[in-house]
Amino acid sequence: MGEIVKGQNILERVVETYASFHSYSDTGTVDSVDSPGVPIEFQTDFKRPLYFRFNWLSWHPKFGKTRPAKETTIWSDGKQFITSFHGEFEAAERFSLLVAGATGISKGAVHIILNILSPESLGLDSPWHEMIDVRRLDDQALDLPAGSSSNGSVRDCYCIRGTSRAADDTEDWVEKDTFIVRRIKETSVITEQQCEEMRAFAQRPDQVEMMVRALKKEGIAEEVIAETIAGLATIFQPRTHFSEYNYKSVRVNQVLEDSVFIPSS
């Protein structure tokens, strides 16, 4: 097949490629230019029809990796939808709610690749892989880290830009040999309505109770806990948000046992 020259053709090949995978695993990071601190580190495991595990580590923006990370995991075997947050296990009623609950605290990383692997499971509006006005930019080389499936080699990538929700808000780096996505940059506007929804979720009694227990386990003073809970009413504010998702290690069509998608304890 000859060289693909159009951005839309590249995107179509990406969609076809991910639809062909019967399993998918990755490790990566998500960084937000407007948020201080260490990038979130995540790991994805997926198997059709809808086995899914997403684990991520986050660090305090002030102390970084000088303090232990907070680890969060969600699991689905298609029948159970479980979250482990602050060491507490909680069941969701359905898969979409499981993912929705993890979206904000994972900076959106939970659904970026999941939505191209299984778009029917989420039904998100204007996902990145359905962007329009797609243009091919200059090709770029990404220096992938040693220890990933790339063995630390430099990979040649197509670079495309298009419109998901706002003009030119999405850029993708697509590995030429495989049509696997290696980097996504997104610009998003968080509206007041979205903030209201996030505030409502964070202030749910079960969410507050879980947070209080976790903070007490960490030895946080009562007055600080009270200030933290009170701050949930104002912490989410409308703004423009910049995110970069990097997929360092990607493995496809490997055997993943069902036990991967069930909490071990």
Side-chain angles (χ1 to χ4, degrees):
M1 181 178 293
E3 173 76 3
I4 295 178
V5 294
K6 294 184 178 180
Q8 184 62 43
N9 297 138
I10 295 169
L11 184 60
E12 289 171 357
R13 283 292 301 277
V14 170
V15 173
E16 292 171 1
T17 297
Y18 279 75
S20 72
F21 297 151
H22 63 74
S23 71
Y24 171 95
S25 298
D26 69 33
T27 60
T29 61
V30 53
D31 197 8
S32 299
V33 176
D34 51 336
S35 299
V38 177
I40 287 175
E41 298 179 5
F42 60 79
Q43 178 181 349
T44 308
D45 291 298
F46 172 87
K47 182 173 70 169
R48 298 194 188 281
L50 197 56
Y51 290 83
F52 184 65
R53 177 184 182 273
F54 189 80
N55 169 271
W56 71 100
L57 302 175
S58 58
W59 288 266
H60 192 285
K62 179 179 179 180
F63 302 110
K65 291 190 175 182
T66 63
R67 300 282 182 88
K70 290 185 178 179
E71 182 174 10
T72 310
T73 308
I74 65 173
W75 296 265
S76 168
D77 62 359
K79 300 176 183 178
Q80 301 180 84
F81 315 109
I82 308 295
T83 300
S84 172
F85 179 59
H86 288 303
E88 300 284 340
F89 288 88
E90 180 180 352
E93 293 181 5
R94 57 184 183 271
F95 184 72
S96 60
L97 291 178
L98 177 74
V99 175
T103 295
I105 53 177
S106 71
K107 297 185 179 179
V110 64
H111 65 67
I112 293 294
I113 294 299
L114 173 63
N115 201 40
I116 191 173
L117 289 166
S118 182
E120 70 282 356
S121 68
L122 298 179
L124 298 181
D125 293 331
S126 304
W128 64 269
H129 58 88
E130 294 180 3
M131 61 182 173
I132 60 175
D133 300 329
V134 183
R135 304 188 308 282
R136 180 177 174 181
L137 307 179
D138 292 339
D139 297 349
Q140 296 190 28
L142 288 184
D143 190 1
L144 300 174
S148 73
S149 61
S150 63
N151 296 320
S153 63
V154 175
R155 290 299 173 115
D156 290 328
C157 291
Y158 298 114
C159 188
I160 58 176
R161 177 186 294 158
T163 296
S164 294
R165 297 177 178 86
D168 292 342
D169 60 354
T170 305
E171 292 185 12
D172 300 342
W173 280 254
V174 179
E175 193 172 297
K176 288 186 175 182
D177 292 343
T178 64
F179 287 91
I180 286 174
V181 175
R182 289 297 185 172
R183 175 178 292 165
I184 297 176
K185 285 187 176 181
E186 286 193 332
T187 302
S188 58
V189 176
I190 301 177
T191 65
E192 177 59 33
Q193 180 180 350
Q194 291 172 318
C195 289
E196 289 179 1
E197 293 172 354
M198 289 187 287
R199 292 182 200 118
F201 180 83
Q203 294 180 90
R204 278 173 33 183
D206 59 329
Q207 295 298 310
V208 172
E209 182 181 356
M210 188 184 302
M211 181 177 291
V212 169
R213 286 200 300 267
L215 293 173
K216 286 182 176 179
K217 283 184 179 180
E218 295 178 11
I220 305 299
E222 292 286 347
E223 59 270 20
V224 175
I225 294 176
E227 291 175 3
T228 301
I229 300 304
L232 294 175
T234 58
I235 190 173
F236 301 106
Q237 298 295 332
R239 59 193 173 97
T240 301
H241 190 68
F242 305 92
S243 298
E244 179 178 297
Y245 306 90
N246 287 287
Y247 300 89
K248 299 180 178 181
S249 170
V250 178
R251 302 173 305 282
V252 301
N253 296 333
Q254 296 189 336
V255 175
L256 294 175
E257 300 296 337
D258 291 356
S259 57
V260 170
F261 306 96
I262 301 173
S264 57
S265 61

